[in-house]
Amino acid sequence: MTRVILKYVLDGPEATIRMPHGARMLTARLQRGEICLWAEVDVCGPTVARTFVSINTGADFDPRYLRYIATGESSNGVVWHVYEKEQE
């Protein structure tokens, strides 16, 4: 098993990303104006679709089926929080 750390870009407030099965989310941060996720993955594994959401501080949201990953701050001071949607 070969493990590496890969970066995935969230392309909107909700993004579905294909990544190797069993990927372990490490963190989310702002990089060059985009929210990015870093995950430890087995590059030889089959891929699966996983969905992530970014929620700004103060915004309403339904916490059911969400697993917290990280919090970050944009250059304009907006604080956001990344969650993974779990299977219902």
Side-chain angles (χ1 to χ4, degrees):
M1 173 185 344
T2 302
R3 307 265 321 161
V4 298
I5 296 172
L6 295 179
K7 178 178 83 172
Y8 300 90
V9 177
L10 293 183
D11 58 3
E14 183 169 320
T16 299
I17 300 170
R18 292 203 65 81
M19 59 181 57
H21 176 73
R24 185 170 71 98
M25 300 311 305
L26 300 175
T27 193
R29 296 281 185 264
L30 199 66
Q31 186 178 56
R32 297 183 193 101
E34 298 179 303
I35 297 175
C36 299
L37 302 171
W38 282 266
E40 179 185 306
V41 304
D42 174 1
V43 294
C44 297
T47 62
V48 295
R50 293 172 66 171
T51 302
F52 302 89
V53 294
S54 171
I55 303 164
N56 288 346
T57 295
D60 290 334
F61 73 102
D62 183 351
R64 291 179 296 169
Y65 312 113
L66 294 179
R67 186 177 58 80
Y68 175 78
I69 295 174
T71 294
E73 183 177 0
S74 299
S75 59
N76 63 0
V78 173
V79 176
W80 43 264
H81 315 274
V82 175
Y83 291 81
E84 180 174 4
K85 278 190 170 182
E86 296 180 339
Q87 298 296 329
E88 298 179 24

